[in-house]
């Protein structure tokens, strides 16, 4: 049995390593998600009902219903959301990911990323920047107007530019950014800068209206350091999906949180979720906030950790350590070194200068997690438990051990051992 | 070769601590040279999980 599992894991790992995620297009969600209708909404994390959802996720859904024109007021949107007419599903089950609340509705433009090696597609929302934003549960008019501007102005420009470029390799930007001090989950300063440097000329070429071009460049360059995160998430999703469905593989291909529960999926166990209560985030809070104000861990952005970045690559990003309240740089080294204990390989394409160019830990094995009791470390933003308040800090969360225990038990049951 | 515990404790100690870090920290606070090994029982000592791991790794 060991040989079968090890071989399957080697195959899954190789598929992750061989993946070449390329941003190829921007399309409306309903154009890429089969049979999607206006009354369908996708969310971060494992399945969750409206009644069970945390406040920020409910707030984001209210914003989406107003944005879609399905409700003309906040009260009407809450009533519709709780009426049973809206179908809620995890983004991950539609080959998609979204940070924080992760809400994707019918008309929202999504980034289309193609894994050129294996042909699979992955989708992500476009990052809204800072302030009043849906991903943190805001449903104000400002939040809705921003979504409309992104659909009408930003998305067509990005689409035209990437079409003209015939695609943009995301792995190249991610590898460079890792060497410039990003871990690509909570620090995307370098990746966003590289992205904007790459896109400035193509955008200028495809946007004729000078006022619109100014708006776009202001949006991309002002208070928007996490803009590249969504591209990286789609790249990681395309990479993880390529390693999913390998019989006998015990590698984790999904880690995602909905603010109430966190769930994992395993390559050799189909689409079954293994869940546990979402953990609290240990971190630093903005002035005026404390742990008492925080929602438990939320977002599909743990796809960064699933494929070896974010918390797993903390050693690459000394600057993020203080931002997260994660101790000293020595602690960051320990986080990454611990992650080598639960992974089956390393990614030489993502070399970390601070570890003498050692590759990032890659391929989380549920057997190793159980054996060592070391669980994946997740770097993350902290959102207020009240809808609309937004981001109140940043920190580190640990994926609960019980999910991995459940997965291991399901694995032996499936194999009749 | 140390012949008795008394003789051992009558000379400078260099300690390797395995497991609970608090013992290493206590020695380090007393300026006793100590290397800590971060070790814990496999599968947290859970016999059921250990049996499953043994099956999967056989």
């Amino acid at each position: 049995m060991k040989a079968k599992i090890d071989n399957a894991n080697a195959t899954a790992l190789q598929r992750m390593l061989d993946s070449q995620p390329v941003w190829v297009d921007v399309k409306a969600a309903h154009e890429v998600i089969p049979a999607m209708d206006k009354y369908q909404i996708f969310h971060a994390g494992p399945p969750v009902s409206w009644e069970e959802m945390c406040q920020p996720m409910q707030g984001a859904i209210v914003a989406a219903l107003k944005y879609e024109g399905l409700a003309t007021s906040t009260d009407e949107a809450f009533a519709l959301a709780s009426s049973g007419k809206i179908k809620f599903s995890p983004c991950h089950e539609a080959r998609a990911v979204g940070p924080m609340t992760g809400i994707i509705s019918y008309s929202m433009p999504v980034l289309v990323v193609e894994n050129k090696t294996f042909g699979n597609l992955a989708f992500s929302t476009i990052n809204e920047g800072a302030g009043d934003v849906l991903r943190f549960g805001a449903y104000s008019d400002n939040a809705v107007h921003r979504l409309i501007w992104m659909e009408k102005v930003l998305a067509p420009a990005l689409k035209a530019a990437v079409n003209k470029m015939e695609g943009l390799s995301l792995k190249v930007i991610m590898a460079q950014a890792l060497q410039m001090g990003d871990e690509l989950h909570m620090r995307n300063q370098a990746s966003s800068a590289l992205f904007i440097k790459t896109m400035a000329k193509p955008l200028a070429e495809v946007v004729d209206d000078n006022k619109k071009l100014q708006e776009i460049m202001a949006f991309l360059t002002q208070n928007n350091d996490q803009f590249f995160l969504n591209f990286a998430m789609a790249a990681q999703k395309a990479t993880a999906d390529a390693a999913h469905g390998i019989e006998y593989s015990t590698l984790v291909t999904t880690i995602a949180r909905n603010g109430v529960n966190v769930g994992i999926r395993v390559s050799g166990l189909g689409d079954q979720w293994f869940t546990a209560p979402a953990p609290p985030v240990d971190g630093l809070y903005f002035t005026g906030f404390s742990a008492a104000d925080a929602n438990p861990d939320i977002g599909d952005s743990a796809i960064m950790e699933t494929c070896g970045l974010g918390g797993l690559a903390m050693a690459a990003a000394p600057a993020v350590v203080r931002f997260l309240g994660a101790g000293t740089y020595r602690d960051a080294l320990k986080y990454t070194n611990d992650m080598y204990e639960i992974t089956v390989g390393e990614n030489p394409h993502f070399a970390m200068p601070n570890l003498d160019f050692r590759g990032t830990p890659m391929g989380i094995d549920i057997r190793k997690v159980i054996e060592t009791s070391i669980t994946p470390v997740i770097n993350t933003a902290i959102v207020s438990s009240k809808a609309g308040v937004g981001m109140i800090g940043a920190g580190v969360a640990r994926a609960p051990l019980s999910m991995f225990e459940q997965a291991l038990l399901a694995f032996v049951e499936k194999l009749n051992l | 070769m140390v012949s008795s515990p008394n003789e051992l404790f009558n000379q400078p100690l260099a300690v390797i601590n395995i497991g609970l870090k608090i013992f290493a920290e206590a020695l380090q606070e007393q300026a006793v040279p100590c290397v800590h090994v971060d070790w814990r029982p496999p599968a947290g000592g859970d016999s059921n999980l250990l049996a499953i791991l043994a099956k999967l790794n056989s």
Side-chain angles (χ1 to χ4, degrees):
Chain A
M1 183 50 63
K2 183 178 188 306
K4 269 187 181 174
I5 295 174
D6 288 347
N7 286 339
N9 286 346
T11 300
L13 176 68
Q14 197 59 49
R15 287 176 72 88
M16 285 186 187
L17 294 174
D18 290 344
S19 288
Q20 289 293 343
V22 174
W23 173 40
V24 293
D25 211 344
V26 177
K27 289 186 173 180
H30 69 85
E31 292 181 278
V32 295
I33 298 176
M36 185 180 187
D37 65 50
K38 275 213 164 191
Y39 290 85
Q40 195 166 14
I41 283 184
F42 293 90
H43 60 76
V48 61
S49 67
W50 169 261
E51 290 75 19
E52 292 170 323
M53 284 176 192
C54 63
Q55 273 199 36
M57 186 170 280
Q58 289 186 335
I61 288 167
V62 165
L65 294 176
K66 289 163 74 173
Y67 158 70
E68 293 292 347
L70 295 174
T72 54
S73 70
T74 296
D75 287 347
E76 211 176 296
F78 269 108
L80 176 59
S82 58
S83 69
K85 289 180 184 166
I86 307 293
K87 186 185 175 201
F88 301 108
S89 311
C91 294
H92 267 287
E93 295 181 3
R95 297 182 289 169
V97 281
M100 303 312 286
T101 59
I103 297 304
I104 301 178
S105 66
Y106 186 84
S107 309
M108 273 183 198
V110 293
L111 306 170
V112 180
V113 170
E114 181 181 353
N115 186 337
K116 289 289 184 182
T117 313
F118 301 104
N120 61 299
L121 300 178
F123 317 109
S124 169
T125 51
I126 301 173
N127 198 293
E128 306 157 84
D132 248 11
V133 287
L134 166 140
R135 75 178 183 282
F136 287 120
Y139 50 83
S140 64
D141 288 346
N142 278 344
V144 175
H145 289 154
R146 187 184 311 215
L147 293 173
I148 294 169
W149 177 82
M150 289 173 69
E151 179 194 330
K152 305 293 184 196
V153 179
L154 179 64
L158 290 173
K159 180 185 180 72
V162 75
N163 287 167
K164 185 180 169 79
M165 297 162 72
E166 298 182 340
L168 175 66
S169 170
L170 298 174
K171 199 167 183 175
V172 169
I173 291 181
M174 291 160 73
Q176 287 177 20
L178 200 68
Q179 303 220 0
M180 295 164 71
D182 283 357
E183 38 71 91
L184 286 135
H185 187 166
M186 285 306 292
R187 183 178 159 88
N188 277 285
Q189 304 250 7
S191 60
S192 296
L194 288 167
F195 175 83
I196 291 159
K197 183 172 79 107
T198 308
M199 296 303 298
K201 181 170 176 283
L203 281 169
E205 287 170 350
V206 298
V207 180
D208 294 331
D209 184 327
N210 196 40
K211 181 174 174 294
K212 282 184 180 172
L213 184 61
Q214 284 181 34
E215 287 175 10
I216 291 166
M217 295 315 289
F219 178 80
L220 294 178
T221 56
Q222 293 172 10
N223 211 10
N224 205 348
D225 293 332
Q226 284 286 79
F227 187 73
F228 188 78
L229 171 63
N230 297 40
F231 290 86
M233 285 174 59
Q236 296 284 81
K237 174 65 175 163
T239 300
D241 279 358
H244 191 69
I246 310 286
E247 196 175 6
Y248 296 112
S249 172
T250 53
L251 296 195
V252 174
T253 49
T254 305
I255 306 174
R257 313 89 95 205
N258 61 33
V260 177
N261 291 314
V262 52
I264 60 167
R265 297 192 299 179
V266 175
S267 178
L269 288 173
D271 291 333
Q272 188 176 357
W273 289 92
F274 304 95
T275 65
V281 182
D282 185 16
L284 284 183
Y285 290 85
F286 300 159
T287 305
F289 296 101
S290 71
D293 303 305
N295 201 81
D297 200 15
I298 186 169
D300 284 335
S301 51
I303 192 69
M304 301 310 301
E305 280 75 9
T306 309
C307 291
L309 295 173
L312 273 69
M314 193 122 60
V320 87
V321 177
R322 302 305 279 273
F323 178 58
L324 299 174
T328 65
Y329 182 59
R330 189 174 294 180
D331 295 308
L333 290 173
K334 180 165 172 26
Y335 278 125
T336 294
N337 282 326
D338 280 353
M339 295 299 102
Y340 287 114
E341 300 292 323
I342 59 170
T343 45
V344 295
E346 299 175 14
N347 187 348
H349 309 297
F350 290 161
M352 293 179 285
N354 303 336
L355 288 184
D356 204 12
F357 297 96
R358 187 173 182 183
T360 49
M362 188 84 153
I364 298 166
D365 185 346
I366 58 170
R367 293 176 304 171
K368 288 178 172 249
V369 171
I370 296 302
E371 187 177 348
T372 61
S373 301
I374 296 171
T375 61
V377 58
I378 300 166
N379 292 353
T380 186
I382 305 173
V383 66
S384 166
S385 59
K386 291 190 175 64
V389 174
M391 182 175 170
I392 60 171
V396 173
R398 283 280 189 177
L401 187 61
S402 64
M403 299 187 295
F404 300 90
E405 291 174 357
Q406 292 168 45
L408 194 77
L409 292 171
F411 200 84
V412 291
E413 191 177 328
K414 184 184 174 191
L415 299 181
N416 286 321
L417 288 174
Chain B
M1 181 79 181
V2 175
S3 58
S4 74
N6 285 343
E7 196 175 326
L8 172 69
F9 287 108
N10 283 332
Q11 57 184 301
L13 292 177
V15 179
I16 299 171
N17 181 70
I18 300 173
L20 295 176
K21 197 175 183 184
I22 190 169
F23 294 119
E25 289 169 346
L27 290 171
Q28 285 160 353
E29 281 170 14
Q30 297 171 66
V32 176
C34 179
V35 173
H36 176 65
V37 179
D38 187 6
W39 180 89
R40 61 195 90 182
D46 184 316
S47 56
N48 185 38
L49 292 174
L50 281 169
I52 290 171
L53 285 175
K55 282 181 189 171
L56 295 180
N57 290 326
S58 64

